[in-house]
Amino acid sequence: MATIASLSPPFLNSSLFPPSSHKLHSRAFEYPNSCSWSDNRTRTKPICASITKSEVGVIRKEDIVIVGAGIAGLATAVSLHRLGVGSLVLEQADSLRTGGTSLTLFKNGWRVLDAIGVGSELRTQFLEIQGMSIKSEDGRELRSFKFKDEDESQEVRAVERRILLETLASQLPPESVHFSSKLANIEATADGETILELVDGTRLQAKIVIGCDGIRSPVAKWMGFSEPKYVGHCAYRGLGYYPNGQPFEPKVNYIYGRGLRAGYVPVSPTRVYWFICFNNPSPGPKITDPVLLKKQAKDLVRNWPSEILNIIDLTPDDTIIRTPLVDRWLWPAVSPPASTGRVVLVGDAWHPMTPNLGQGACCALEDAVILARKLANATKSGNASVLDALRSYESERWPRIFPLTIRANLVGSLLQWENPVVCSVRNNVVIPKLVRLGPVLEHTNFDCEPLIQGIKV
C-alpha cells in the first residue's frame, strides 16, 4: 500500500482474472426502460466468474478488495466508483443474495442513495410511508403519528432487499463482482498488504481490504472482534404478496403485547412486510422449513388482530425467515478499532445493531459514502494518507454508531416488557401521553453531499 500514490487509473480498474477467463456479462443486471413498479420485471441472473486450474494458487494483485456483496459492500463499491476509484467485490454465494424480506429506510438512507445516484430509480418502485399507528394486542389504537407533522423533510419507505441489491449492482462496471468467492484465510504481509485466500485456492494480494461481510464477519473475527451478542429476543419476518393489490394505508402499523410485538408496513402496491418479535432465553435452533415457520409465527399472535394473520398466510415461502437479534457495543478503549493496518470494516461487520430504530441499513449506507470519500482523497497521496483516512473514518463514525446501537437495544428491551403492570403503564400513559416522534427521529438527520456531479441532494 505504500505505493498507492503511484497507481494509475487502469490499475485501479484492474480485474481479478485476465479477459480470457472472465464469465461475468457486461452488467450484473439489466433493467427495462420503465421504472414503474412491476412484479414481473425481467432480470438476468448474474453469471459467476470462474478460475482455471492453472491459476489456482497464483497471487493476483488488487488495489481495493471488498468482502461481501450485501448492502454495505455494494454501496461502498458504487460510492468508490462514482469517485473514480475501482474495486473488486468478493461474494461467497453464487449470485446476489436476493431472498429475504425488506428493510425500512428513513431520510438518512435516502440521502445516501440520492448521493450515489440510485434514489430516484428506487422511489418509483416503493410507497412513501406517511405515518405510524400503534395498537394494543386487542386492536385498540394507542397513538398515531404523521411523519411530516413531526419533520417536513422526513422520508420513509420500506424497500425490498432484493431490488436494492440489484439496483446497486447494476451501477458497477463489468466484472466488478466475483461470486462463489468464499474467504478461507486472511494474512498480513510484511509490507502492510493483505493476502486473501479463497476456498477454491485463489489468492489475492490487496492494498486495501474492506470487510462488508455481515454480522458473522470473518474479517472482523480476524481483526479481533468478538461475536455479536444475543439480546434475548428473536424475530419472524416475511413479505406478504397481494397479486390483486394490497389493501393497507401507507403507514407503519405496530401491535404491542406482553413480551411480544408485531408490525406490518406496505412496501409496494402488491407487497406488505411484516415481523413478529418475541422473547426467548436462547437463539434456539435454526429453522428453514417455511411451513413450520408460518405455523410458529401464527401461533404467537393467534388471538391478535386478524390482518397480521392474513398477511402471514399470503407470504411466499422464500421470504419468511426466523432470526435471533444480536448487536455489538463498541466500547471505547475496549473494542478493537474499525481498522487494522489497511483492513477496515463497514456496516454490520463492524457495528451490528438490533432493528428497533430501523437504522442498520441506513448506517451501513452512511459508512459507505464516508469511507469512499476518505479513501478517494487518500489514494492521491501515499500510505500514511490511507492509514489516516481509515482512522478518520472511525473517529467520524464511532460517535454516531455507538449511541445508536445502545439506543436500539434499549428501545427493543422496553418494548419487550412482560410485566402486566409495566405494559399497562406503557400502553395507557407512556405511548398515548409522553412519546413525541420528533425527538425519536432526530438520529435520521444526516448531511450527504452528492458523489455525482450535477446531482443535488
Side-chain angles (χ1 to χ4, degrees), residues 99-122:
T101 58
S102 77
L103 48 100
T104 302
L105 297 178
F106 289 82
K107 70 177 179 180
N108 52 326
W110 288 103
R111 284 185 180 274
V112 174
L113 294 174
D114 283 335
I116 62 179
V118 298
S120 296
E121 179 178 347
L122 288 166

Side-chain angles (χ1 to χ4, degrees), residues 302-322:
R302 180 65 61 187
N303 297 317
W304 284 29
S306 61
E307 60 261 29
I308 188 70
L309 295 169
N310 293 336
I311 299 170
I312 297 173
D313 284 334
L314 293 172
T315 298
D317 289 350
D318 63 344
T319 72
I320 185 169
I321 57 175
R322 176 191 185 275

Side-chain angles (χ1 to χ4, degrees), residues 1 4 7 11-16 60-67 73 76-77 79-81 84-90 176 193-194 196 204-212 342 344 371-372 374-379 386 390:
M1 281 190 187
I4 283 184
L7 298 178
F11 191 82
L12 282 172
N13 291 321
S14 64
S15 57
L16 176 57
R60 301 284 174 175
K61 293 188 176 182
E62 291 289 331
D63 284 353
I64 300 177
V65 175
I66 297 171
V67 182
T76 302
S79 298
L80 288 167
H81 173 59
V85 180
S87 64
L88 176 70
V89 183
L90 302 179
S176 294
E193 298 191 356
T194 305
L196 301 176
L204 297 167
Q205 185 167 330
K207 297 183 183 300
I208 300 171
V209 174
I210 305 175
C212 302
R342 282 165 279 179
V344 65
L371 179 62
K374 293 182 184 296
L375 283 179
N377 291 331
T379 53
V386 171
L390 299 184

Side-chain angles (χ1 to χ4, degrees), residues 34 49 55 62 179 230 242 244 264 312 321 325 330 413 421:
S34 171
E55 291 171 322
E62 291 289 331
F179 298 101
Y230 175 60
Y242 293 74
N244 298 318
Y264 60 92
I312 297 173
I321 57 175
L325 302 187
L330 302 173
S413 298
V421 175

